[in-house]
Amino acid sequence: MAVAVAEHSVVVLDEDDRVVEELPPAQGHFGVYVPKSPLDELPSARAAFGPYFARARHTGEPVEFAEFVDGRVVQVAVVPEGRRLVVTWHTLGILDVLTLDGLRTSLAAIIETLAHTELALERSATRRSLRLVEGGL
Amino acid sequence: MTTRPTSFAVDAEDRIVRTSCQGEMAAFLGHPLWEYLPHAEKDLRPHFEEARRVGEVVTAVIFYGGRLIEMRIAPTGQSLAVDVTRAVPLELSSLRTLAASLSSFEEELGARVPGRHDRPALASRRALP
């Protein structure tokens, strides 16, 4: 099994992706980045999250996605508020890399979690679209 | 492998009898290696047994602690002298880097099963999912 975790963090990023606030303060692990950008501090973060942040700013619409990054599966919601972004981050599972057996088992669980979450997010987005269409009819 | 030693020795009962590391491992002198490296016994012990059985230096490749670790295991009397010669970290930054890393590890792990000295057939090299 992937290592079970219940990490949850909500941060506010300014227009340069710098953490300006953690909600509530000191509850997650992104508070340490105030006033820096996690995209600069975490080597893999820019490639993994940068395009989603850019999309949310460009469209002005919330973006939600699941991603594997730095050995963990995360579900991230990005809500634009003016030039700022409110980013909610849930860690859904962490790869167990202690032994080959643990890696095998957790890798299968991680991939299943990622696929399941992506499917759920896709369905959720479709439902929202349908509600918009229905509301417009 | 920043906290792991580059060389150590174990006795016939796999207790640590020598280490080049003055840090964490030194505190485990006289203790079974498996206390210092929890859950490593299943993958590492067959290589120790092979070195004892053949009485010659054995090169082992295992996956442990997020790294592909290559070690040279030399029987010296009643003990085994172990030198870690290479430690390659698993690339976890993305699924793409993980897949590439696993593919490379799979090749090496499949080719170094204890007691097997020839390269295995492709179909039997599924060390990882």
Short mmCIF file of all heavy atoms in Angstrom, two decimals, chain A residues 44 48 68-72 95-101 103-105 107-108 110-111 114, chain B residues 38-40 42-43 63-67 90 92-95 98 102 109 126-129:
data_model
loop_
_atom_site.label_atom_id
_atom_site.label_comp_id
_atom_site.label_asym_id
_atom_site.label_seq_id
_atom_site.Cartn_x
_atom_site.Cartn_y
_atom_site.Cartn_z
N SER A 44 10.75 20.05 -8.75
CA SER A 44 9.79 19.43 -9.67
C SER A 44 8.49 20.22 -9.78
O SER A 44 7.67 19.93 -10.64
CB SER A 44 9.44 18.02 -9.18
OG SER A 44 10.59 17.35 -8.77
N ALA A 48 5.38 20.50 -12.78
CA ALA A 48 4.15 19.81 -12.41
C ALA A 48 2.97 20.76 -12.27
O ALA A 48 1.85 20.43 -12.66
CB ALA A 48 4.36 19.05 -11.09
N PHE A 68 1.36 13.17 -10.01
CA PHE A 68 2.42 12.48 -9.28
C PHE A 68 3.64 13.39 -9.30
O PHE A 68 4.11 13.79 -10.36
CB PHE A 68 2.76 11.14 -9.95
CG PHE A 68 3.92 10.43 -9.29
CD1 PHE A 68 3.70 9.51 -8.27
CD2 PHE A 68 5.22 10.67 -9.69
CE1 PHE A 68 4.76 8.86 -7.67
CE2 PHE A 68 6.29 10.02 -9.09
CZ PHE A 68 6.05 9.11 -8.08
N VAL A 69 4.12 13.72 -8.12
CA VAL A 69 5.31 14.59 -8.07
C VAL A 69 6.10 14.27 -6.80
O VAL A 69 5.53 14.09 -5.72
CB VAL A 69 4.91 16.08 -8.13
CG1 VAL A 69 4.02 16.48 -6.97
CG2 VAL A 69 6.12 16.99 -8.21
N ASP A 70 7.40 14.13 -6.96
CA ASP A 70 8.31 13.85 -5.85
C ASP A 70 7.86 12.67 -4.99
O ASP A 70 7.89 12.73 -3.75
CB ASP A 70 8.50 15.11 -4.99
CG ASP A 70 9.31 16.17 -5.72
OD1 ASP A 70 10.07 15.80 -6.64
OD2 ASP A 70 9.18 17.35 -5.38
N GLY A 71 7.41 11.61 -5.66
CA GLY A 71 7.08 10.38 -4.95
C GLY A 71 5.73 10.36 -4.28
O GLY A 71 5.46 9.46 -3.47
N ARG A 72 4.88 11.34 -4.58
CA ARG A 72 3.56 11.33 -3.97
C ARG A 72 2.49 11.72 -4.99
O ARG A 72 2.78 12.40 -5.96
CB ARG A 72 3.51 12.26 -2.76
CG ARG A 72 3.90 13.69 -3.05
CD ARG A 72 3.92 14.52 -1.78
NE ARG A 72 4.91 14.06 -0.82
CZ ARG A 72 4.87 14.29 0.48
NH1 ARG A 72 3.86 14.94 1.01
NH2 ARG A 72 5.82 13.85 1.28
N LEU A 95 4.75 7.09 -2.21
CA LEU A 95 5.42 5.86 -2.64
C LEU A 95 6.31 5.34 -1.51
O LEU A 95 7.05 6.10 -0.90
CB LEU A 95 6.27 6.17 -3.87
CG LEU A 95 6.53 5.07 -4.89
CD1 LEU A 95 5.23 4.46 -5.40
CD2 LEU A 95 7.35 5.62 -6.04
N ASP A 96 6.21 4.05 -1.24
CA ASP A 96 7.07 3.42 -0.23
C ASP A 96 8.31 2.90 -0.95
O ASP A 96 8.24 1.96 -1.73
CB ASP A 96 6.29 2.27 0.43
CG ASP A 96 7.16 1.45 1.38
OD1 ASP A 96 8.32 1.84 1.61
OD2 ASP A 96 6.67 0.43 1.89
N VAL A 97 9.44 3.53 -0.69
CA VAL A 97 10.66 3.19 -1.43
C VAL A 97 11.69 2.46 -0.56
O VAL A 97 12.84 2.33 -0.95
CB VAL A 97 11.32 4.44 -2.07
CG1 VAL A 97 10.39 5.06 -3.10
CG2 VAL A 97 11.72 5.45 -1.01
N LEU A 98 11.26 1.95 0.59
CA LEU A 98 12.24 1.28 1.46
C LEU A 98 12.76 -0.01 0.83
O LEU A 98 13.96 -0.25 0.79
CB LEU A 98 11.63 0.99 2.84
CG LEU A 98 12.60 0.36 3.84
CD1 LEU A 98 13.79 1.28 4.11
CD2 LEU A 98 11.89 0.00 5.14
N THR A 99 11.84 -0.85 0.35
CA THR A 99 12.24 -2.13 -0.24
C THR A 99 11.57 -2.31 -1.60
O THR A 99 10.61 -1.60 -1.92
CB THR A 99 11.84 -3.32 0.64
OG1 THR A 99 10.41 -3.40 0.68
CG2 THR A 99 12.38 -3.17 2.05
N LEU A 100 12.06 -3.30 -2.34
CA LEU A 100 11.48 -3.58 -3.66
C LEU A 100 10.03 -4.03 -3.53
O LEU A 100 9.17 -3.64 -4.32
CB LEU A 100 12.32 -4.65 -4.37
CG LEU A 100 12.11 -4.82 -5.86
CD1 LEU A 100 12.35 -3.52 -6.61
CD2 LEU A 100 13.00 -5.92 -6.40
N ASP A 101 9.75 -4.86 -2.52
CA ASP A 101 8.37 -5.31 -2.31
C ASP A 101 7.45 -4.13 -2.02
O ASP A 101 6.35 -4.03 -2.55
CB ASP A 101 8.30 -6.31 -1.14
CG ASP A 101 8.78 -7.69 -1.56
OD1 ASP A 101 8.90 -7.93 -2.78
OD2 ASP A 101 9.04 -8.52 -0.68
N LEU A 103 7.96 -1.06 -2.82
CA LEU A 103 7.87 -0.23 -4.03
C LEU A 103 6.83 -0.81 -4.99
O LEU A 103 5.98 -0.09 -5.52
CB LEU A 103 9.24 -0.15 -4.70
CG LEU A 103 9.30 0.63 -6.01
CD1 LEU A 103 8.92 2.09 -5.80
CD2 LEU A 103 10.69 0.54 -6.62
N ARG A 104 6.91 -2.13 -5.20
CA ARG A 104 5.96 -2.79 -6.10
C ARG A 104 4.52 -2.51 -5.67
O ARG A 104 3.68 -2.10 -6.46
CB ARG A 104 6.18 -4.30 -6.08
CG ARG A 104 7.34 -4.79 -6.89
CD ARG A 104 7.25 -6.30 -7.04
NE ARG A 104 8.43 -6.84 -7.67
CZ ARG A 104 9.38 -7.52 -7.02
NH1 ARG A 104 9.26 -7.76 -5.74
NH2 ARG A 104 10.42 -7.98 -7.68
N THR A 105 4.25 -2.80 -4.38
CA THR A 105 2.89 -2.68 -3.88
C THR A 105 2.41 -1.24 -3.91
O THR A 105 1.29 -0.95 -4.34
CB THR A 105 2.82 -3.21 -2.43
OG1 THR A 105 3.43 -4.50 -2.41
CG2 THR A 105 1.41 -3.32 -1.94
N LEU A 107 3.55 1.24 -5.66
CA LEU A 107 3.47 1.80 -7.01
C LEU A 107 2.12 1.45 -7.64
O LEU A 107 1.47 2.30 -8.26
CB LEU A 107 4.61 1.25 -7.86
CG LEU A 107 4.75 1.82 -9.27
CD1 LEU A 107 4.87 3.33 -9.25
CD2 LEU A 107 5.94 1.21 -9.98
N ALA A 108 1.69 0.20 -7.45
CA ALA A 108 0.38 -0.20 -7.98
C ALA A 108 -0.72 0.64 -7.33
O ALA A 108 -1.64 1.10 -8.02
CB ALA A 108 0.15 -1.69 -7.72
N ILE A 110 -0.42 3.64 -5.95
CA ILE A 110 -0.28 5.04 -6.37
C ILE A 110 -0.91 5.25 -7.75
O ILE A 110 -1.63 6.23 -7.98
CB ILE A 110 1.22 5.42 -6.40
CG1 ILE A 110 1.76 5.65 -5.00
CG2 ILE A 110 1.48 6.61 -7.30
CD1 ILE A 110 1.43 6.98 -4.41
N ILE A 111 -0.63 4.32 -8.66
CA ILE A 111 -1.16 4.46 -10.02
C ILE A 111 -2.68 4.35 -10.01
O ILE A 111 -3.38 5.09 -10.69
CB ILE A 111 -0.51 3.41 -10.96
CG1 ILE A 111 0.95 3.80 -11.19
CG2 ILE A 111 -1.24 3.31 -12.28
CD1 ILE A 111 1.78 2.77 -11.90
N LEU A 114 -4.08 7.56 -8.60
CA LEU A 114 -3.98 8.65 -9.59
C LEU A 114 -5.08 8.51 -10.65
O LEU A 114 -5.78 9.48 -10.96
CB LEU A 114 -2.59 8.61 -10.24
CG LEU A 114 -2.21 9.75 -11.17
CD1 LEU A 114 -2.28 11.09 -10.45
CD2 LEU A 114 -0.82 9.55 -11.73
N PRO B 38 16.26 -2.16 8.40
CA PRO B 38 15.02 -2.94 8.53
C PRO B 38 14.46 -3.36 7.17
O PRO B 38 14.47 -2.57 6.23
CB PRO B 38 14.08 -1.98 9.27
CG PRO B 38 14.68 -0.63 9.16
CD PRO B 38 16.14 -0.81 8.98
N HIS B 39 14.01 -4.60 7.11
CA HIS B 39 13.38 -5.18 5.92
C HIS B 39 14.36 -5.40 4.76
O HIS B 39 13.93 -5.70 3.66
CB HIS B 39 12.19 -4.33 5.45
CG HIS B 39 11.16 -4.09 6.51
ND1 HIS B 39 10.38 -5.10 7.02
CD2 HIS B 39 10.82 -2.96 7.19
CE1 HIS B 39 9.58 -4.59 7.95
NE2 HIS B 39 9.84 -3.31 8.08
N ALA B 40 15.66 -5.26 5.01
CA ALA B 40 16.63 -5.48 3.93
C ALA B 40 17.04 -6.95 3.83
O ALA B 40 17.62 -7.38 2.84
CB ALA B 40 17.87 -4.62 4.15
N LYS B 42 15.52 -9.81 3.36
CA LYS B 42 14.99 -10.64 2.28
C LYS B 42 15.80 -10.47 0.98
O LYS B 42 16.06 -11.44 0.28
CB LYS B 42 13.52 -10.29 2.03
CG LYS B 42 12.87 -11.14 0.97
CD LYS B 42 11.47 -10.67 0.65
CE LYS B 42 10.94 -11.39 -0.58
NZ LYS B 42 9.77 -10.72 -1.15
N ASP B 43 16.17 -9.24 0.68
CA ASP B 43 16.88 -8.98 -0.58
C ASP B 43 18.40 -9.17 -0.46
O ASP B 43 19.05 -9.55 -1.41
CB ASP B 43 16.59 -7.55 -1.05
CG ASP B 43 15.14 -7.37 -1.47
OD1 ASP B 43 14.56 -8.32 -2.03
OD2 ASP B 43 14.57 -6.29 -1.21
N PHE B 63 17.68 -3.16 -4.35
CA PHE B 63 16.98 -1.90 -4.18
C PHE B 63 16.68 -1.76 -2.70
O PHE B 63 16.09 -2.65 -2.08
CB PHE B 63 15.67 -1.89 -4.98
CG PHE B 63 14.89 -0.61 -4.80
CD1 PHE B 63 15.16 0.50 -5.58
CD2 PHE B 63 13.91 -0.51 -3.82
CE1 PHE B 63 14.46 1.68 -5.39
CE2 PHE B 63 13.21 0.67 -3.63
CZ PHE B 63 13.48 1.77 -4.42
N TYR B 64 17.09 -0.62 -2.12
CA TYR B 64 16.79 -0.39 -0.71
C TYR B 64 16.88 1.11 -0.43
O TYR B 64 17.76 1.81 -0.93
CB TYR B 64 17.78 -1.13 0.20
CG TYR B 64 17.44 -1.01 1.67
CD1 TYR B 64 16.40 -1.77 2.21
CD2 TYR B 64 18.10 -0.11 2.49
CE1 TYR B 64 16.05 -1.65 3.55
CE2 TYR B 64 17.76 0.02 3.83
CZ TYR B 64 16.73 -0.75 4.35
OH TYR B 64 16.37 -0.62 5.66
N GLY B 65 15.93 1.58 0.37
CA GLY B 65 15.95 2.99 0.79
C GLY B 65 15.87 3.97 -0.36
O GLY B 65 16.48 5.04 -0.28
N GLY B 66 15.11 3.60 -1.40
CA GLY B 66 14.96 4.52 -2.53
C GLY B 66 16.16 4.58 -3.45
O GLY B 66 16.27 5.49 -4.27
N ARG B 67 17.05 3.59 -3.32
CA ARG B 67 18.27 3.60 -4.16
C ARG B 67 18.56 2.21 -4.70
O ARG B 67 18.27 1.21 -4.04
CB ARG B 67 19.47 4.07 -3.34
CG ARG B 67 19.44 5.52 -2.95
CD ARG B 67 20.51 5.80 -1.91
NE ARG B 67 20.69 7.22 -1.69
CZ ARG B 67 19.92 7.96 -0.92
NH1 ARG B 67 18.90 7.39 -0.28
NH2 ARG B 67 20.13 9.24 -0.76
N LEU B 90 16.40 6.56 -6.89
CA LEU B 90 15.23 6.46 -7.76
C LEU B 90 14.76 7.88 -8.06
O LEU B 90 14.68 8.72 -7.16
CB LEU B 90 14.13 5.70 -7.00
CG LEU B 90 12.89 5.26 -7.77
CD1 LEU B 90 13.23 4.30 -8.90
CD2 LEU B 90 11.89 4.60 -6.81
N LEU B 92 12.16 10.37 -8.56
CA LEU B 92 10.75 10.43 -8.17
C LEU B 92 10.05 11.71 -8.60
O LEU B 92 8.90 11.92 -8.27
CB LEU B 92 10.64 10.33 -6.64
CG LEU B 92 11.12 9.02 -6.02
CD1 LEU B 92 11.21 9.16 -4.51
CD2 LEU B 92 10.18 7.89 -6.39
N SER B 93 10.75 12.58 -9.32
CA SER B 93 10.17 13.91 -9.55
C SER B 93 8.87 13.86 -10.36
O SER B 93 7.98 14.68 -10.13
CB SER B 93 11.19 14.83 -10.20
OG SER B 93 11.66 14.26 -11.39
N SER B 94 8.76 12.92 -11.30
CA SER B 94 7.52 12.82 -12.08
C SER B 94 7.33 11.36 -12.49
O SER B 94 8.25 10.55 -12.34
CB SER B 94 7.60 13.69 -13.33
OG SER B 94 8.55 13.15 -14.23
N LEU B 95 6.15 11.04 -13.02
CA LEU B 95 5.92 9.67 -13.48
C LEU B 95 6.88 9.30 -14.61
O LEU B 95 7.32 8.16 -14.71
CB LEU B 95 4.47 9.51 -13.96
CG LEU B 95 3.42 9.18 -12.90
CD1 LEU B 95 2.06 9.00 -13.54
CD2 LEU B 95 3.78 7.94 -12.09
N LEU B 98 10.23 8.58 -13.07
CA LEU B 98 10.12 7.34 -12.30
C LEU B 98 10.14 6.13 -13.23
O LEU B 98 10.84 5.15 -12.98
CB LEU B 98 8.82 7.36 -11.47
CG LEU B 98 8.51 6.09 -10.69
CD1 LEU B 98 9.57 5.80 -9.64
CD2 LEU B 98 7.13 6.19 -10.02
N LEU B 102 12.88 3.26 -13.15
CA LEU B 102 12.50 1.88 -12.86
C LEU B 102 12.95 0.95 -13.98
O LEU B 102 13.39 -0.17 -13.73
CB LEU B 102 10.98 1.77 -12.69
CG LEU B 102 10.41 2.31 -11.39
CD1 LEU B 102 8.88 2.27 -11.41
CD2 LEU B 102 10.94 1.53 -10.19
N LEU B 109 18.60 -5.17 -11.76
CA LEU B 109 18.16 -6.12 -10.73
C LEU B 109 17.91 -7.49 -11.33
O LEU B 109 18.26 -8.51 -10.74
CB LEU B 109 16.89 -5.60 -10.06
CG LEU B 109 17.10 -4.39 -9.14
CD1 LEU B 109 15.76 -3.74 -8.82
CD2 LEU B 109 17.80 -4.81 -7.85
N ARG B 126 11.11 -9.47 -15.23
CA ARG B 126 10.12 -8.56 -14.67
C ARG B 126 10.35 -8.39 -13.18
O ARG B 126 9.62 -8.89 -12.35
CB ARG B 126 8.70 -9.06 -14.94
CG ARG B 126 8.38 -9.16 -16.42
CD ARG B 126 8.31 -7.81 -17.10
NE ARG B 126 7.35 -6.93 -16.44
CZ ARG B 126 7.22 -5.65 -16.74
NH1 ARG B 126 7.97 -5.10 -17.64
NH2 ARG B 126 6.33 -4.91 -16.11
N ALA B 127 11.38 -7.66 -12.82
CA ALA B 127 11.65 -7.44 -11.40
C ALA B 127 10.70 -6.42 -10.81
O ALA B 127 10.47 -6.40 -9.61
CB ALA B 127 13.09 -6.97 -11.21
N LEU B 128 10.17 -5.57 -11.64
CA LEU B 128 9.27 -4.52 -11.16
C LEU B 128 7.98 -4.58 -11.98
O LEU B 128 7.98 -5.06 -13.09
CB LEU B 128 9.92 -3.15 -11.33
CG LEU B 128 11.12 -2.89 -10.43
CD1 LEU B 128 11.87 -1.65 -10.89
CD2 LEU B 128 10.67 -2.72 -8.99
N PRO B 129 6.88 -4.02 -11.38
CA PRO B 129 5.63 -4.04 -12.13
C PRO B 129 5.67 -3.09 -13.31
O PRO B 129 6.43 -2.14 -13.32
CB PRO B 129 4.60 -3.55 -11.10
CG PRO B 129 5.38 -2.79 -10.10
CD PRO B 129 6.75 -3.43 -10.07
#
